Amino acid sequence: MNVNRLNCEQTFARLDDYLDRELTPAELAEVAQHLERCVVCAGEFGVEARLLEEIRLKLRRVRAPAELMAKIEARLRQP
């Protein structure tokens, strides 16, 4: 038995980072294990995953104006 099991509240707090793969490998595994056991959290994960995918798809279709991109690139080059 794994004594470090996450509860629903802990899992829910990590869903965004889990979706973005910003957790440590151990944390990713813990969240994945919880999602395999918990229907409620798995459902919430599915909603968030679909929402994130929709946002990513829409952002791929949006093109920033050339002037804005030039300003951003100039700012990024500044020390």
Side-chain angles (χ1 to χ4, degrees):
M1 180 175 158
N2 183 359
V3 292
N4 292 326
R5 283 184 156 177
L6 296 178
N7 64 32
C8 293
E9 185 177 337
Q10 293 166 323
T11 299
F12 187 76
R14 290 176 171 86
L15 278 183
D16 288 338
D17 291 336
Y18 179 79
L19 287 165
D20 293 336
R21 301 290 188 236
E22 294 179 352
L23 299 175
T24 66
E27 290 171 321
L28 285 169
E30 286 181 327
V31 172
Q33 287 172 0
H34 182 86
L35 294 173
E36 289 173 7
R37 292 188 319 271
C38 181
V39 174
V40 174
C41 287
E44 183 62 32
F45 167 75
V47 169
E48 292 209 17
R50 286 188 297 277
L51 177 62
L52 184 59
E53 184 58 29
E54 284 297 317
I55 291 169
R56 286 179 177 154
L57 288 172
K58 288 184 189 275
L59 288 176
R60 287 185 193 130
R61 289 182 260 166
V62 174
R63 295 194 186 258
E67 182 179 305
L68 175 61
M69 292 304 296
K71 287 179 183 179
I72 292 171
E73 288 171 2
R75 292 287 278 227
L76 290 173
R77 286 192 294 269
Q78 291 179 350

